[in-house]
Amino acid sequence: MQLGKKSSSRLTKVGRTSPPRKPVAQTTDPLAKDIRVALEMVQSQGVDKSVAFLRQKFGRKRKPPFADVLHRFASALSGGHPAESLQVVGAVLQDQAEHVGSLLLAAVLHDRLGDQRAALRCCEQVLSSSVATDRQIIAAANLLVRLEDAPRAHQAAAGAYERANRPIDSCAALLYIAQRSADFPLVDQLTAQLRDSYEKGDFASPAETPRQNVLWCGDLATNIRLTQFWSKQVLRIPPGTERSKAAPLDGRKIKVGYLSSDFREHPTSRLANGLFRNHDRTRFELYMYCSGWDDGSSMRKEVESHFDHVFSVARLSDAEAASLIRQHGIDVLVELNGPTRAHRMGILAHGPAPVQIDYLGWPGSVGGRVVDYVVGDEYTVPESAEKLYPEHVIRLSKTYQINDHASYELPAIPSRASLKLPEDRLVIGMFNAINKVSGEVWSAWMAILRRVPNSILWILNPGEVARKQLAAATKAAGVPLNRIIAAPFAKQAEHLARLQACDLIVDPWPYGGHTSTTDALFAGVPVVAMEGGNFAGRVSGGLLRAAGLEVLVRKDVDDYIRFAVHLLNNPAELARTREWVRDKAPKSALFDARLRTRELERAYETALKRALDGLRPCHMNFQKPVAIGAAKITPTDRAAVTPDGAPSEAEGPGTRISLVLVCGPWSSGTSAVAGLLARAGLQAPGPYVKVNDPRTSDTYEMKAFQAVLRT
């Protein structure tokens, strides 16, 4: 397809409990007081009684209309009671079928609970409504473009934005639509408006989500400030809430709960399955809390098979789900969504576990407050960035990202003809969603195509509207449209197979590839990436470093373009790079899920022990122990925690590694280095020194260096 052309049964049934009531802020507004009473009644008497109470209070009054009262009640319920809120919305729409606010809320709730068709119908009703406001049209279009390729969503939202005089509070919602549509001029206009607001210190007016922000803003400080603001607005901690107390182990297993909406055919499950598969079940008891839905896929069944207990919390309120987790006595609760669209982080606001960790599904801070730790590595969260994080950081060795690729068999490479790719061209692949691609990024790729005439760019099908926008940008860059080819959606095995047809993968910025980069390296294809400024932008670089491919991480745009062009225009060097990736990357630390699991388990144990001892959380740094002869060097974190990340199976206590020390002019520093190595217990297995410059062989410093090493 070219740009210029159109194109489970194991779930435990959970009964209602009576957790602490969800409070509502005190106010002098009479309606708000009655809404608060109705909310409290939900916990003790159910939704029907609450609606009956409000009907008795307001059903006969003309102001406010009862539909508006119910809508306000449903909105108050929606954060922590999605299923109950949808029930109330249904009551509103029975009374007033075109109540636009309730149609919008219903769309969000249906999507959250996994009924995308119902969500789609609600969005279409809003766009067809004659009474919907411009802001409501933008909000409906924002959700609509997530559910289907909707050309009218882009047009309707852009028109509404202009009619409303470009309101800052609709800017982020329209930005998402513009990014999904590859409308680069509109993206630039909207990001400039948002950037101006943040530079003035106004994080409230734009109403931007953390997920939306990292798609365009590579400044870590801004990302975290916005996320902290979002956390305070969205993740309300009920007054009087106390975190669950750590219970002594007394020989029992540690209970670890994993909370996610993505236990299905989803990139998070494909990665996290490497963790679930490799957990030490003799020491850890695993609980799965699904806030999404069972899609019936083989991935869902595979993930479930690794858990001791499986529960659905999708239709429980935040308070009810937290109460369930408390009842189970979970020691460590690991949240796998972060502030993404379908998160249920409100459950963590009730403090159901003594240790709460955010991992994998979100690249960076979640605003602190409801978690103790986030998981990164030395590259994604360098020490210089640590002070900006409100959480403590668990740094795994090599890379934070676990994966399950070692359990895969790489499929056979399909023919280019079957993929509708030219046989005689270099294929540059890009398999990230189009909303990660900015005008600057597209311009860089067009520059590469111009300087490598025998190449084509192969991208995921971005949809009808985006194809038209990209076609215009491609023509403006002087590149023929037949050099951009769109690939259809494919299942994982088929995708890994077709990736092997690429000669090189290019990564976008400031939010680069995550799972897509791991997939490419497993398929044996080099990825050229930018060194980013925040967690999301540094993931690809960290994955490449873990695979021993630091050379593919470039400092700036010019260097990125120059390096990609150099590789593509030098067939022998490109072939050597591909051979290295194909032969070495699958055996690298990047795909060592056992090691990553052992480190996470040690982190869980350490965090729980600190909670049991009444100590505050601390940063933890894990590095793989280096075993040389009888000496083992195991680094510790700054709180004197000693992670014992065990060597992989291939390594025994007597394993030796090669150490090459490259020095410049010999000086007293050389002897200092030798002393450091000697004190570390290193024993040289062969020649101590190889001298390239004979003028240095008889110097005092050289003799001293050799003498210290020999001792």
Side-chain angles (χ1 to χ4, degrees), residues 514-563:
H514 294 183
T515 310
S516 61
T517 299
T518 303
D519 286 344
L521 294 177
F522 183 72
V525 185
V527 180
V528 177
M530 189 83 77
E531 184 174 276
N534 59 8
F535 195 128
R538 294 176 70 82
V539 171
S540 274
L543 297 172
L544 288 164
R545 290 165 63 90
L549 293 162
E550 294 92 333
V551 70
L552 297 177
V553 185
R554 313 312 294 183
K555 292 286 187 183
D556 55 48
V557 178
D558 289 340
D559 186 31
Y560 175 100
I561 295 171
R562 184 168 52 249
F563 184 77

Side-chain angles (χ1 to χ4, degrees), residues 243 246 249 254 284 331-334 353-357 372-375 392-394 599-620 622 637 641-643:
R243 183 73 72 84
L249 294 176
I254 294 176
F284 295 88
D331 299 300
V332 179
L333 181 61
V334 185
V355 176
Q356 298 185 169
I357 298 173
D372 308 297
Y373 301 92
V374 294
V375 182
H392 288 82
V393 182
I394 297 169
E599 291 176 349
L600 282 166
E601 289 175 342
R602 185 69 181 108
Y604 298 168
E605 290 171 329
T606 300
L608 181 58
K609 185 177 187 305
R610 293 184 70 83
L612 285 165
D613 293 343
L615 300 175
R616 295 174 61 83
C618 68
H619 297 297
M620 288 183 244
F622 288 80
D637 75 334
V641 179
T642 309

